[in-house]
């Protein structure tokens, strides 16, 4: 006997005993330009309580912030939601939407969210950032007044404030030996070393080896970063490795007579070509460290 059943309706009464758990969360969003570069996040939204998976409408700005140039090419926004786990709270990726779209309906559960917000500490570089160097570890270095500034690794548009190191006086210029940054200031020499920009450490020389000219700073193979100081042509190979390359050639008075603040230099074929201008005389010295 063949029995066919269809249009079955089952009903039940009573309580399931299940009470949805309200989870506290909030949202942030970032701007993304046409190169895929992401901004720091917005301020968090107000905290809301919701059971996991219940839909939430997230409304964001549809124009770039006031004072930000259209040259940044901002095209989209990324929305992130706060998730609390055993290791703390982090913002995780929800969706990417066009800049002109105001609202997004978030229906994802916590388990369906994407990567953790990478740009929490990111910021624009100082307006007066100068002396920018590209280090071999994917970090950019520059300086502003008395601050050495480091970018986020492999993100040259992002310069976290937390990655900045202060010197006692204003920086004259910087150079580098591999991932080590040599910092010439108006008073002392500093050397900053590390691999992760969040963990760079800076050492200050005991002797006041000041820098006299930003344009005298260059790298010499096998010697290190060379620069004009008040006492002579200094060379820095690393922390605690400083020497005066011209101490047997010029007395301090002779060197000062060349006006160190005027000095310009370029390294070519491992020779340091030094140009000076005393006001009355302009000249050039070729300093060949291979011959010493």
């Amino acid at each position: 006997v063949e029995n066919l059943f269809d249009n079955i309706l089952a009903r039940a009464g009573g309580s399931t005993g299940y009470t949805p758990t309200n989870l506290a969360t909030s949202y942030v969003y970032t701007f993304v330009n046409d190169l895929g570069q992401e901004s720091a996040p917005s301020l968090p939204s107000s905290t809301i309580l919701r059971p996991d998976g219940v839909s939430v409408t997230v409304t964001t700005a549809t124009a770039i912030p006031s004072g930000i140039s259209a040259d940044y090419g901002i095209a989209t926004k990324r929305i992130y939601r706060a998730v609390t786990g055993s290791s703390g709270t982090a913002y995780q990726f929800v969706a990417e939407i066009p800049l002109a779209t105001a609202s997004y309906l978030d229906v994802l559960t916590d388990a369906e969210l994407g990567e953790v917000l990478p740009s929490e500490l990111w910021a624009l570089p100082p307006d007066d950032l100068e002396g920018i160097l590209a280090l071999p570890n994917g970090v950019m270095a520059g300086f502003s007044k008395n601050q050495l500034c480091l970018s986020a690794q492999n993100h040259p548009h992002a310069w976290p404030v937390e990655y900045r190191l202060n010197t006692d006086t204003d920086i004259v210029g910087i150079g580098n030996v591999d991932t080590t940054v040599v910092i010439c200031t108006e008073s002392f020499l500093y050397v900053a070393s590390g691999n992760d920009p969040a963990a760079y450490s800076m050492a200050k020389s005991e002797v006041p080896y000041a820098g006299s000219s930003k344009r005298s700073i260059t790298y010499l193979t096998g010697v290190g970063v060379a620069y004009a100081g008040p006492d002579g042509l200094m060379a820095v190979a690393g922390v605690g490795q400083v020497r005066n390359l011209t101490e047997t050639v010029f007395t301090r008075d002779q060197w000062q007579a060349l006006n160190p603040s005027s000095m310009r230099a370029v390294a070519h074929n491992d020779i340091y070509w030094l140009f000076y201008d005393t006001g009355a005389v302009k000249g050039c010295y070729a300093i060949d460290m291979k011959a010493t």
Side-chain angles (χ1 to χ4, degrees), residues 23-151:
L23 303 175
T25 192
S26 61
Y27 291 82
V28 296
Y29 67 94
T30 62
F31 292 107
V32 183
N33 69 7
D34 50 10
L35 298 176
Q37 296 172 332
E38 189 168 10
S39 74
S42 66
L43 293 174
S45 69
S46 58
T47 300
I48 62 171
L49 296 175
R50 56 178 283 280
D52 195 21
V54 169
S55 63
V56 175
T57 298
V58 183
T59 302
T60 58
T62 56
I64 60 176
S66 176
I68 300 299
S69 172
D71 292 340
Y72 280 101
I74 294 173
T76 61
K77 297 169 290 189
R78 290 177 185 162
I79 299 171
Y80 295 83
R81 191 174 81 213
V83 177
T84 300
S86 58
S87 59
T89 300
Y91 285 94
Q92 291 184 244
F93 178 75
V94 176
E96 184 166 350
I97 61 176
L99 175 62
T101 300
S103 299
Y104 177 81
L105 186 65
D106 174 21
V107 297
L108 300 179
T109 65
D110 286 352
E112 294 173 320
L113 298 180
E115 67 171 349
V116 173
L117 171 69
S119 63
E120 184 175 1
L121 299 179
W122 294 1
L124 292 174
D127 291 340
D128 60 351
L129 186 72
E130 57 181 313
I132 299 174
L133 301 173
L135 306 181
N137 56 356
V139 176
M140 306 291 285
F143 66 92
S144 168
K145 299 181 179 64
N146 71 322
Q147 284 191 326
L148 175 70
C149 305
L150 300 171
S151 77

Side-chain angles (χ1 to χ4, degrees), residues 174-178 180-182 184 189 191 216-227 233-239 241-243 245 266-267 270-272 289:
I174 62 176
N176 71 291
V177 181
D178 195 36
T180 296
V181 183
V182 176
C184 306
L189 171 73
V191 176
S216 70
I217 302 172
T218 190
Y219 176 80
L220 281 173
T221 303
V223 175
V225 173
Y227 70 94
L233 181 63
M234 311 305 297
V236 186
V239 177
Q241 302 176 63
V242 187
R243 57 183 173 134
L245 299 178
V266 63
D270 297 332
I271 298 174
Y272 186 90
M289 294 308 299

Side-chain angles (χ1 to χ4, degrees), residues 118 122 135-140 150-160 163 179 194-200:
W122 294 1
L135 306 181
N137 56 356
V139 176
M140 306 291 285
L150 300 171
S151 77
Q153 198 161 25
N154 299 316
H155 295 284
H157 69 288
W159 296 75
Y163 295 178
T179 60
N195 191 40
D196 182 342
Y200 261 64

Side-chain angles (χ1 to χ4, degrees), residues 143-148 165-172 183-190 202 204 210-211:
F143 66 92
S144 168
K145 299 181 179 64
N146 71 322
Q147 284 191 326
L148 175 70
L165 302 172
N166 294 329
T167 60
D168 291 340
T169 53
D170 282 355
I171 296 172
V172 174
I183 307 125
C184 306
T185 78
E186 295 176 348
S187 57
F188 281 84
L189 171 73
Y190 294 77
M202 188 164 66
K204 177 182 177 182

Side-chain angles (χ1 to χ4, degrees), residues 3-20:
N3 293 319
L4 300 177
F5 300 92
D6 60 6
N7 297 324
I8 298 175
L9 175 63
R11 293 179 176 174
S15 173
T16 63
Y18 171 72
T19 302

